[in-house]
Amino acid sequence: MGDVVLVGAGPGDPDLMTVGGLRALAEADVVVTDRLVPLAALDAVRPDAQVVDVAKIPGGRSTGQDAIDALLVEHALAGRRVVRLKGGDPFVFGRGGEEAIACVRAGVPVRVLPGVTSSVSGPALAGIPVTHRGLTQGFTVVSGHVPPDHPDSTVDWKALASTGTTIVVLMGVRTLGAIAEALVGGGLDPDTPAAVVADAGLPSQRRVDGTVATIARVAADAGIGAPAVTVVGRVVEALPLEPAPGV
């Protein structure tokens, strides 16, 4: 009997992977990897190990979650040590919970090595603290995968607009306009500072700034695409300068 290790690869910079995650990669017989993991991290994989790409590309090819679950279980039951390598943290909109459940149901030992989540590190790398003394006492992380008026949306955007916390939106580039409209409609001041950080931790990292009322247009005009993190709140203006990459 083999096992499965769910490894978070962080936001994109291989320096932000955990020591435990790199060790797991070096010990793996099979690595099942997503598209958002740092490619340099795969340098730690043994030459004789098998690397399986199960990327979900927006608007392109996509490996179904059931197929990924079956792949993990199949290799583990064959006696192999399997690493499921995922961008960010497996348990923050990474479907790691579903994969852990699939392993447990199949009797496969599974453990989790958390990763640095982009919901915090993405803003930080662009000079935005999600909390800051005197500005906010908390932050809320939500998925923007579906717009507020979608039947699959479970976020109470009106309530979120009145929390007084920093709002961090993942997977919300495509739906940003609708999200901003819902927040303003829920009572959030349209002049609330907002920013979008794209490709956090990569040489191509970019940040654009606006207000909650303008940020969707600003991001679109700048050609911002996924992956990107949106931050809404006064913390966007907390620091006077964006730190240099790697600082």
Side-chain angles (χ1 to χ4, degrees), residues 96-240:
E98 297 173 50
E99 293 167 356
I101 289 171
C103 291
V104 170
R105 286 177 174 169
V108 170
V110 59
R111 62 191 179 100
V112 181
L113 290 175
V116 178
T117 171
S118 61
S119 60
V120 175
S121 61
L125 289 166
I128 303 172
V130 292
T131 64
H132 192 74
R133 187 162 62 96
L135 294 182
T136 181
Q137 297 179 4
F139 64 97
T140 305
V141 182
V142 294
S143 167
H145 183 64
V146 294
D149 60 352
H150 194 282
D152 290 340
S153 176
T154 60
V155 177
D156 187 336
W157 293 96
K158 183 176 181 180
L160 184 59
S162 63
T163 60
T165 66
T166 301
I167 300 169
V168 180
V169 182
L170 301 184
M171 301 180 292
V173 173
R174 180 178 53 84
T175 59
L176 187 52
I179 288 172
E181 184 177 340
L183 290 173
V184 172
L188 187 65
D189 185 343
D191 290 329
T192 301
V196 178
V197 182
D199 293 343
L202 299 176
S204 55
Q205 176 178 307
R206 286 198 296 159
R207 167 182 169 176
V208 296
D209 290 61
T211 66
V212 68
T214 66
I215 191 61
R217 174 178 52 79
V218 170
D221 289 347
I224 296 293
V229 180
T230 300
V231 187
V232 179
R234 292 171 62 200
V235 293
V236 168
E237 298 177 340
L239 301 187

